[in-house]
Amino acid sequence: MPAKLLEGKPIAEKIKETIRQDIQALSKTPVLASILVGDNAAALAYVKSQQKTAEALGIEYRLEKLESGISKEGLIEFIQKLNQDKSVNGIIIQMPLPSQIDYKKISQFISPEKDIEGVNPANMGKIVFGQAKILPCTAAAVMELLKETGLDLYGKEVVVVGHSEIVGKPLALLLLDKFATISVCHIGTSKAERLKAHVKRAEVLIVAVGKAGLIKGDWIKKGAVVIDVGINRVADKIVGDVEFEAAQKRASWITPVPGGVGPLTVTMLMRNLVEAAKLQK
Ligand code: NDP
């Protein structure tokens, strides 16, 4: 039997219901400040999708457009202004940024209380202690998808491919909290030609790399849960990092790309915003 599709949209709809209830319990409309530097097409597309979700939830989406030539110092100053603005509950910086600005060096200036992407070192650090209220959106989306499968992660072999700060690293910690046995693979694993061996024993496989076809369908362990975070454009189509058709024949659950992790990520951003507003109250 082919794997069941693990779709993000129905889960996102359920979470949105809770967000709506939380917003009603707040005494004011939560405000999300979105910093857009320049007019990159991909960044504009993210803005549009976030604006739509915010509007549907009753969140005020404040778009802050800045010149593409702004300096690092100028951007930091702007972020600090938003940190102090009591009407703003959460701040997000749209990616990609112009080449003169390094996101990693800038994002930490967003105060932990308003860091709705969960990238401030203080919020990351709380994950280690199992105390985080605001989680990196994509990692949180993956955890929600796993919850939907009903699988008990206790003692399971989980393989995460990709060790970025926003996906692989926080995920490894979140999964560890569930007592899964985690292996994190990366470029070193591939170079040592050990990726296939790790993937083959994964009862849960999470891939976040950005390379179409990196994970071959016949590597998937029978009955595995496969979460494909990757987004790649191939011949005008969006595909993930896993060979979908072949993997679907072996897995028990698999996320489609598009339609799996993506629709949940923006919902997690809004959940973080409401969480931040509650903490600020
Ligand atoms: P990064 O580029 O930050 O990280 C990619 C990771 O993959 C790195 O850890 C890198 O390792 C590793 N890697 C690269 N090549 C290989 C290889 N051949 N074998 C094993 N590991 C490898 O990307 P992100 O984490 O930001 O995003 C990953 C993917 O997920 C992208 O396609 C992105 O578009 C997508 N994405 C999707 C989201 C969604 O909502 N659906 C949200 C966020 C991201 P090293 O650093 O050692 O080279």
Side-chain angles (χ1 to χ4, degrees):
M1 217 170 55
K4 284 185 262 183
L5 278 187
L6 193 47
E7 289 175 299
K9 220 169 168 191
I11 309 171
E13 288 311 316
K14 277 191 264 173
I15 297 171
K16 280 181 192 165
E17 240 355 276
T18 335
I19 297 176
R20 282 196 187 92
Q21 286 163 15
D22 284 351
I23 291 177
Q24 270 181 359
L26 291 168
S27 52
K28 73 180 256 298
T29 303
V31 175
L32 190 164
S34 162
I35 303 176
L36 176 68
V37 184
D39 57 0
N40 179 278
L44 282 166
Y46 294 136
V47 164
K48 242 176 140 179
S49 143
Q50 290 161 9
Q51 258 169 339
K52 209 170 126 200
T53 309
E55 198 176 300
L57 289 170
I59 287 166
E60 185 183 329
Y61 191 89
R62 218 176 267 174
L63 185 60
E64 306 281 2
K65 287 183 175 173
L66 302 177
E67 291 293 323
S68 63
I70 192 167
S71 65
K72 177 182 155 214
E73 292 71 26
L75 184 53
I76 293 172
E77 203 176 303
F78 190 77
I79 292 169
Q80 281 166 341
K81 216 173 74 189
L82 291 177
N83 283 341
Q84 276 146 27
D85 182 341
K86 287 208 163 56
S87 71
V88 171
N89 300 105
I91 304 168
I92 168 171
I93 304 171
Q94 300 300 334
M95 294 288 286
L97 284 165
S99 56
Q100 77 273 16
I101 296 169
D102 179 353
Y103 175 75
K104 284 188 191 170
K105 290 193 180 137
I106 290 289
S107 56
Q108 59 187 288
F109 285 94
I110 298 176
S111 75
E113 295 75 29
K114 297 191 179 183
D115 163 41
I116 55 172
E117 286 188 284
V119 291
N120 183 288
N123 286 327
M124 286 281 186
K126 282 187 184 162
I127 302 178
V128 175
F129 297 98
Q131 295 168 349
K133 295 253 189 274
I134 293 177
L135 297 173
C137 301
T138 312
V142 172
M143 293 308 286
E144 290 297 332
L145 287 160
L146 286 175
K147 208 198 277 175
E148 190 67 16
T149 66
L151 182 77
D152 182 4
L153 291 166
Y154 195 97
K156 292 283 185 306
E157 286 291 332
V158 181
V159 173
V160 179
V161 187
H163 65 157
S164 71
E165 281 79 9
I166 59 160
V167 194
K169 281 180 189 162
L171 255 179
L173 292 169
L174 293 169
L175 291 160
L176 208 48
D177 241 19
K178 304 282 178 202
F179 289 90
T181 307
I182 321 293
S183 307
V184 183
C185 302
H186 39 71
I187 194 70
T189 321
S190 276
K191 291 224 164 120
E193 295 182 9
R194 291 189 178 137
L195 186 60
K196 178 178 171 181
H198 283 285
V199 171
K200 280 193 109 162
R201 57 173 182 73
E203 295 173 284
V204 175
L205 174 69
I206 302 158
V207 190
V209 172
K211 283 190 180 150
L214 176 71
I215 307 295
K216 308 298 169 210
D218 62 1
W219 295 1
I220 306 296
K221 189 182 172 76
K222 277 247 156 81
V225 173
V226 178
I227 312 248
D228 192 349
V229 182
I231 300 176
N232 310 287
R233 186 172 284 276
V234 176
D236 264 357
K237 257 183 76 183
I238 301 289
V239 298
D241 295 339
V242 179
E243 283 182 351
F244 182 81
E245 280 80 17
Q248 196 182 19
K249 291 192 183 126
R250 301 179 63 84
S252 58
W253 288 92
I254 189 165
T255 53
V257 179
V261 182
L264 263 171
T265 308
V266 63
T267 306
M268 294 297 113
L269 180 72
M270 302 305 162
R271 187 169 77 178
N272 279 346
L273 174 76
V274 174
E275 211 48 57
K278 282 200 252 173
L279 292 171
Q280 289 156 24
K281 221 170 146 185

